[in-house]
Amino acid sequence: MVDGDPSTPEIAVMLERTDEAIQLTIPTKGMFGHDDPYGRWFSSGVQYGDDPDRTRFRYTPPSNLLFNDHRGPVSLIGCRQAAASFGSNGAGFGRVVAEYAVLGGRSWANFEKVNGVRTEIAGLAEWTGISSRTTEVKSDKTNRTLEYTITMRSPAAQPLARNKNLTLEPYWRSSTPARGTISTHDVVQISTTSKKPAAWDGLLAPHRAVQDLLSLSAWKQFGFSRIEVGVAELPNPHETPAEGESKITVWSEVVTHRLRLANDAPAGARFLFTFADIGARGVQRWVRLRSKYERALLPLVGIIDERGLFVETRVAQTGIAIEALGFQLASEGANGSTLNRRGQITYNDAMEAIIADLPVVPVPDVEAWKNRSRLSYMGVKHADNPTPDIVTLANAYRENALVLRYWVAGRLGCAEDILRRRLDEDPLSNSFVAA
């Protein structure tokens, strides 16, 4: 481990990726070892006689650390102390966890801010419908195949939004799953870039937005299968740059637990809308919509993110989303809806405001939905209200989510006939019944 301080020694440590964290285990000589600079990182509440004011030495790990082993360097970004354990003889260890680990980066100090982020989402190629593959078949007069040609050619990149230069970048890769066979795979990357080095969170935000868009469309959980960051460097960083020499972006793979990860797309995903339905303009609208109606959309997306939620929690979160969305639509005067004299809106009026803003109403009986939704939301929200039976709660949640998703699809520009056609295929369209 190297901490960037020339006065401290390099030290042998253990770096591991667990199910919950990227963690670095650092051996120490004990909190009171005067020749152990790393023990001080884990010494909260300890008084040192050689530094009573805690000004001479470091008492927390630096935000960036470098790890080296036989497989190469790993840059750890966003480091913080996590735990420590010391025996009676003073020896022990401390743990540092990192938000991101950059694999194989050439210069660890450069990764605090980066010039770009590229990600892959399992299932994005299917959602976009973009393919690098074309095929040509030649047959004889008896319809026997004589020649089968597969051509892989990456389509041009498609700009999506000005926000951090959000772009779709299609390409392809191949693999050899067994001897004598070759497989080709369509890949669509999402890219954000910045000329000046920028913070990770800002460059990652549009990627999270696209991930949420896929999850909302299919009502299934999608995750990132690959993450890379790019840093602009001179081709020969150790030499004086020639006049007019431009920098190149060097990309490195990233490991993190801060993003939802998945190597494969969810099974049986059916999209309410696809890229072909809304286009690049629809994605741009989603980035703005997600920010503008954050109080309504984040609880909705949160249901997809968390598995195993109780139905009462699902009712509560969709109810919060309906209240927030209806309030904001009424505040904007959308479709003539308004707030009352006290600047408030009832739950019924919030539902009315959303229904009035829908291009296609996805519930067969609006009044029945409104009654079921209100009784269920008030029943789980207020202890003095009766809670409906489990089937009523489940159908209230299902219809709430369906209405909210159809509102999003309409705002993104999905055509009414497409939304009507997709309703029967939607996973939320079938009612729950008692067994």
Side-chain angles (χ1 to χ4, degrees):
M1 181 189 75
V2 182
D3 66 353
D5 184 348
S7 68
T8 58
E10 295 184 7
I11 185 174
V13 298
M14 179 174 68
L15 176 64
E16 57 186 331
R17 178 186 183 182
T18 70
D19 290 338
E20 299 177 351
I22 300 165
Q23 66 182 27
L24 200 66
T25 302
I26 305 169
T28 65
K29 300 178 182 179
M31 292 184 180
F32 303 103
H34 294 291
D35 60 343
D36 180 16
Y38 305 112
R40 297 176 188 261
W41 292 3
F42 312 98
S43 62
S44 177
V46 175
Q47 186 78 14
Y48 284 88
D50 61 346
D51 189 14
D53 298 328
R54 289 180 167 248
T55 56
R56 293 178 56 201
F57 303 101
R58 176 182 284 278
Y59 290 90
T60 57
S63 61
N64 295 351
L65 289 167
L66 178 65
F67 172 86
N68 278 298
D69 68 3
H70 65 290
R71 299 183 68 177
V74 178
S75 297
L76 303 175
I77 311 300
C79 298
R80 67 184 187 279
Q81 60 194 49
S85 178
F86 301 93
S88 58
N89 62 352
F93 65 87
R95 284 204 174 100
V96 171
V97 296
E99 293 183 347
Y100 305 100
V102 183
L103 309 182
R106 286 190 282 175
S107 177
W108 68 283
N110 288 341
F111 289 108
E112 189 171 3
K113 292 186 176 182
V114 294
N115 295 95
V117 174
R118 293 193 307 209
T119 62
E120 296 173 19
I121 299 177
L124 181 61
E126 289 77 12
W127 183 76
T128 61
I130 299 173
S131 178
S132 303
R133 184 186 300 111
T134 56
T135 59
E136 182 182 1
V137 181
K138 293 183 179 179
S139 306
D140 61 15
K141 294 180 180 179
T142 63
N143 208 31
R144 184 168 63 95
T145 300
L146 298 176
E147 186 176 317
Y148 190 93
T149 304
I150 300 175
T151 303
M152 304 299 294
R153 182 177 292 109
S154 300
Q158 292 196 34
L160 294 179
R162 292 182 180 180
N163 184 16
K164 303 298 180 183
N165 301 308
L166 179 63
T167 305
L168 280 182
E169 297 183 352
Y171 78 107
W172 60 277
R173 64 168 65 104
S174 63
S175 64
T176 52
R179 187 176 181 181
T181 65
I182 186 171
S183 295
T184 59
H185 311 271
D186 281 312
V187 179
V188 177
Q189 285 188 332
I190 312 167
S191 170
T192 49
T193 56
S194 173
K195 289 184 178 180
K196 294 182 179 179
W200 289 57
D201 284 349
L203 286 168
L204 277 168
H207 297 255
R208 290 192 179 99
V210 174
Q211 180 193 37
D212 288 345
L213 183 61
L214 262 68
S215 298
L216 199 63
S217 176
W219 204 240
K220 287 180 178 287
Q221 194 179 85
F222 285 76
F224 294 101
S225 56
R226 186 176 178 86
I227 306 162
E228 298 175 338
V229 292
V231 174
E233 297 181 356
L234 291 168
N236 298 300
H238 301 295
E239 299 178 6
T240 303
E243 185 176 353
E245 186 177 25
S246 58
K247 293 182 177 182
I248 59 172
T249 301
V250 179
W251 295 93
S252 303
E253 187 178 356
V254 173
V255 174
T256 182
H257 287 280
R258 289 201 61 188
L259 301 174
R260 189 169 67 243
L261 308 176
N263 290 325
D264 301 304
R270 292 185 175 182
F271 297 106
L272 174 59
F273 52 85
T274 65
F275 184 67
D277 300 326
I278 63 173
R281 183 174 295 181
V283 178
Q284 190 171 9
R285 287 172 179 166
W286 166 247
V287 174
R288 293 196 302 264
L289 199 75
R290 185 173 177 267
S291 175
K292 183 178 180 180
Y293 296 95
E294 183 180 38
R295 292 189 64 181
L297 294 176
L298 288 188
L300 184 63
V301 173
I303 295 173
I304 314 170
D305 283 345
E306 295 293 336
R307 296 179 179 178
L309 290 179
F310 289 111
V311 68
E312 290 85 355
T313 306
R314 295 174 184 270
V315 168
Q317 286 195 220
T318 54
I320 290 169
I322 286 171
E323 270 193 323
L325 179 58
F327 175 82
Q328 197 159 348
L329 291 175
S331 299
E332 297 165 359
N335 290 304
S337 58
T338 57
L339 302 175
N340 62 25
R341 289 179 297 176
R342 293 182 294 176
Q344 299 172 332
I345 192 170
T346 66
Y347 190 73
N348 273 349
D349 287 343
M351 289 187 286
E352 284 286 356
I354 297 170
I355 288 293
D357 204 45
L358 282 174
V360 173
V361 178
V363 292
D365 188 332
V366 172
E367 290 305 316
W369 163 65
K370 287 169 59 181
N371 185 58
R372 184 162 38 243
S373 179
R374 181 181 58 81
L375 290 175
S376 298
Y377 183 49
M378 298 306 166
V380 300
K381 183 180 179 183
H382 299 289
D384 57 343
N385 281 20
T387 304
D389 62 87
I390 189 68
V391 175
T392 300
L393 290 173
N395 280 313
Y397 146 70
R398 177 184 61 80
E399 291 173 321
N400 287 353
L402 200 59
V403 167
L404 290 164
R405 290 171 63 237
Y406 264 69
W407 178 84
V408 170
R411 282 296 184 104
L412 299 186
C414 190
E416 293 183 20
D417 61 323
I418 292 175
L419 292 177
R420 288 193 177 92
R421 221 167 40 238
R422 301 265 168 82
L423 182 58
D424 290 339
E425 301 175 357
D426 196 278
L428 297 175
S429 63
N430 297 321
S431 299
F432 294 106
V433 296

